[in-house]
Amino acid sequence: MPTPSHQVIIFLGPPGAGKGTQAERLATEQGLLKISTGDILRDHVDRGTPLGVQAGPLMKLGKLVPDQILIGVIRDRLASMDSIRVIFDGFPRTLPQARELDVLLEELGSPINAVPLLEVPDEQLIARIVERGKTSGRNDDTQAVARERQQVYREQTQPLIDYYSARGQVRHVNGVGSMDEVYGRILEALK
Ligand code: ADP
């Protein structure tokens, strides 16, 4: 059997836009590995690793974890893969992370294929996060921390939209609607 070809998709969008859910489904249906840095960090926090001890208090405040930590995490994940077939959820989140990812993918000979951007109005985002907080057990799913995460997104992550748009990689997707509707739009946008 030929090795499946490399594929790299980056999900962009504000906190609460539904990136994790949609990325999970796309990964399952297309045989890709979803790499969620939020999940990876939460796992470290739960296990009480040194990385988790450093990241936990920042996450609880809605602040970003330092770039170098995230870059190391991603480097390790990709190093063990034979063929790079991944969906990034929550990474990159800053310009330095995006530049480092480019370097890494260049080394691996596996360029970015597409960057779906899930768009949802601000008011809906906070409501979704607070609703999710009732069951997620996440200490950052509160109204106050959600606002902080939104602010951090505007300042540090939104510039990535221009970064990838300049290369024609961004695919705008309306993130309002049922999970199936949004998923259908993502498939359409990736064609
Ligand atoms: P959401 O997309 O709902 O904000 P995530 O699970 O992606 O949630 O992220 C939760 C928290 O984990 C972030 O607020 C941040 O503290 C940390 N985090 C996740 N990914 C990154 C990243 N790429 N760079 C820095 N911090 C990150």
Side-chain angles (χ1 to χ4, degrees), residues 14-16 19 36-39 41-42 58-59 62-65 70 89-93 97 132 138 140 149:
K19 298 186 295 293
S36 161
T37 45
D39 288 349
L41 293 172
R42 277 186 288 278
L58 293 165
M59 295 169 75
K63 309 279 185 203
L64 294 186
V65 175
L70 271 299
D89 161 29
F91 181 91
R93 243 182 172 86
Q97 290 180 18
R132 180 174 73 186
R138 280 178 56 171
D140 61 346
R149 283 155 61 197

Side-chain angles (χ1 to χ4, degrees), residues 126 142-152 154:
I126 300 285
T142 63
Q143 179 142 340
V145 180
R147 288 203 189 287
E148 173 63 22
R149 283 155 61 197
Q150 216 167 52
Q151 186 61 23
V152 168
R154 273 193 213 105

Side-chain angles (χ1 to χ4, degrees), residues 151-168:
Q151 186 61 23
V152 168
Y153 174 79
R154 273 193 213 105
E155 289 168 7
Q156 308 211 52
T157 309
Q158 252 178 0
L160 299 186
I161 299 173
D162 288 341
Y163 182 80
Y164 292 120
S165 290
R167 308 198 304 213

Side-chain angles (χ1 to χ4, degrees), residues 165-180:
S165 290
R167 308 198 304 213
Q169 292 174 321
V170 173
R171 310 269 198 282
H172 294 261
V173 175
N174 176 3
V176 180
S178 70
M179 284 188 198
D180 283 344

